[in-house]
Amino acid sequence: MGILNVTPDSFSDGGEVTDRDAAVKKGLRLIEQGADILDIGGESTRPGSDPVPLEEELRRVVPVVEQLANQTDVPISIDTTKAEVARQSLAAGAAIINDISGLTFDPEMIPLAAQTGAGVICMHIQGTPQTMQDNPTYDDVIVDLKNWFQERLQELLSAGIEPGRIVLDPGIGFGKTAEHNLQILSHIREFQDLGYPILIGHSRKRFLSKLLGRDVEERLAGTVGVSIALASQAVEIIRLHDVEANRDAIWAWKAVTSRVT
């Protein structure tokens, strides 16, 4: 999954593309580099970020979704917690709702997903983007997240969302310490046991700085290393800024390991 942020303030690539034409060009470039899904977002959810008004988020993302949907068959995911943004993006050609709140922030999101037949990425977050890193605490991060997912799945399925349309995302960096993130990344099988595809979004994130002592612009190698670790655990979807480098590394890793006897 290639990340396409149409924002001025995302933690890593904020301001890189802020108009439709530049965003469309970048989206097509991500596809050329190997993205199987494009994830388009118009609101930064970095720690401490401010909410974006509905009309502004719509202005940022809907024209980009429409243009890319007209130019590619690659599925488009809309990264939003607002049902109206999801609704208009789906009408413009998106196929997936990627909601960092696990479809909890907006009461209209679950009915919308059920009515439209969209794919759903249900992500875990503790708190909100404004509060999530204040003091994230769990009894046992793996057990607590699995329990939370089971509750969310029951609600999604009860609303009529088909199981084959659901992906689970443990939410790396969303209300987790660096140690929590590492526990999650090393216990992917625990989440796969729930019976749904898993998405991991670790690209360039802050825990890599804790782990490696690198600033955000120096986290590519760390991101690639985690991607290979995730590939070794058969993670279905990896959400990335640097699609080409990660794809090449995983393909090279697979080429070697497939020949190991």
Side-chain angles (χ1 to χ4, degrees), residues 17-59:
V17 291
T18 55
D19 65 83
R20 184 193 64 182
D21 291 344
V24 170
K25 184 177 179 180
K26 181 178 179 181
L28 295 173
R29 186 165 67 251
L30 288 168
I31 293 168
E32 290 175 359
Q33 292 173 351
D36 301 300
I37 307 169
L38 283 182
D39 191 44
I40 300 174
E43 179 178 54
S44 173
T45 51
R46 75 189 191 286
S49 58
D50 294 323
V52 172
L54 172 62
E55 291 303 320
E56 175 61 16
E57 190 174 344
L58 289 168
R59 185 193 67 79

Side-chain angles (χ1 to χ4, degrees), residues 3 72 114 184:
I3 298 169
T72 181
I184 291 167

Side-chain angles (χ1 to χ4, degrees), residues 14-259:
E16 188 174 300
V17 291
T18 55
D19 65 83
R20 184 193 64 182
D21 291 344
V24 170
K25 184 177 179 180
K26 181 178 179 181
L28 295 173
R29 186 165 67 251
L30 288 168
I31 293 168
E32 290 175 359
Q33 292 173 351
D36 301 300
I37 307 169
L38 283 182
D39 191 44
I40 300 174
E43 179 178 54
S44 173
T45 51
R46 75 189 191 286
S49 58
D50 294 323
V52 172
L54 172 62
E55 291 303 320
E56 175 61 16
E57 190 174 344
L58 289 168
R59 185 193 67 79
R60 292 177 182 180
V61 299
V62 174
V64 177
V65 170
E66 184 174 29
Q67 285 294 313
L68 283 167
N70 288 333
Q71 295 184 52
T72 181
D73 293 328
V74 168
I76 294 171
S77 167
I78 180 64
D79 181 358
T80 187
T81 61
K82 299 183 181 73
E84 185 59 28
V85 174
R87 179 180 292 107
Q88 293 195 30
S89 296
L90 293 170
I96 302 165
I97 299 168
N98 182 12
D99 187 340
I100 67 158
S101 78
L103 290 76
T104 65
F105 286 0
D106 189 330
E108 296 301 316
M109 192 67 91
I110 289 179
L112 174 69
Q115 293 161 10
T116 59
V120 171
I121 299 169
C122 177
M123 196 196 85
H124 175 272
I125 182 174
Q126 188 178 91
T128 69
Q130 294 74 44
T131 65
M132 62 188 181
Q133 293 306 113
D134 288 350
N135 183 32
T137 304
Y138 301 87
D139 292 330
D140 180 311
V141 69
I142 304 300
V143 172
D144 290 358
L145 264 63
K146 285 186 72 174
N147 289 339
W148 184 87
F149 278 131
Q150 288 170 335
E151 292 175 0
R152 297 307 301 144
L153 285 166
Q154 184 175 3
E155 184 166 357
L156 298 180
L157 297 172
S158 296
I161 298 173
E162 297 173 3
R165 290 159 43 202
I166 299 172
V167 171
L168 305 181
D169 178 355
I172 297 299
F174 284 83
K176 284 93 178 173
T177 64
E179 179 58 30
H180 291 146
N181 292 326
L182 291 172
Q183 289 182 47
I184 291 167
L185 293 169
S186 60
H187 290 81
I188 296 299
R189 175 58 62 188
E190 294 287 335
F191 302 105
Q192 291 170 326
D193 286 346
L194 293 168
Y196 293 83
I198 302 301
L199 182 151
I200 298 292
H202 62 289
S203 185
R204 303 181 185 174
K205 286 194 173 172
R206 186 179 298 178
F207 80 98
L208 293 169
S209 176
K210 295 273 188 181
L211 184 65
L212 305 171
R214 300 291 186 184
D215 292 332
V216 64
E217 65 273 9
E218 299 175 317
R219 296 177 191 165
L220 174 57
T223 297
V224 170
V226 174
S227 294
I228 294 171
L230 295 171
S232 73
Q233 298 176 81
V235 168
E236 288 84 356
I237 305 173
I238 303 176
R239 184 177 181 273
L240 300 160
H241 298 89
D242 306 287
V243 169
E244 189 169 56
N246 284 271
R247 181 206 62 181
D248 287 358
I250 291 170
W251 282 9
W253 168 79
K254 285 184 175 179
V256 172
T257 55
S258 68
R259 290 164 172 78

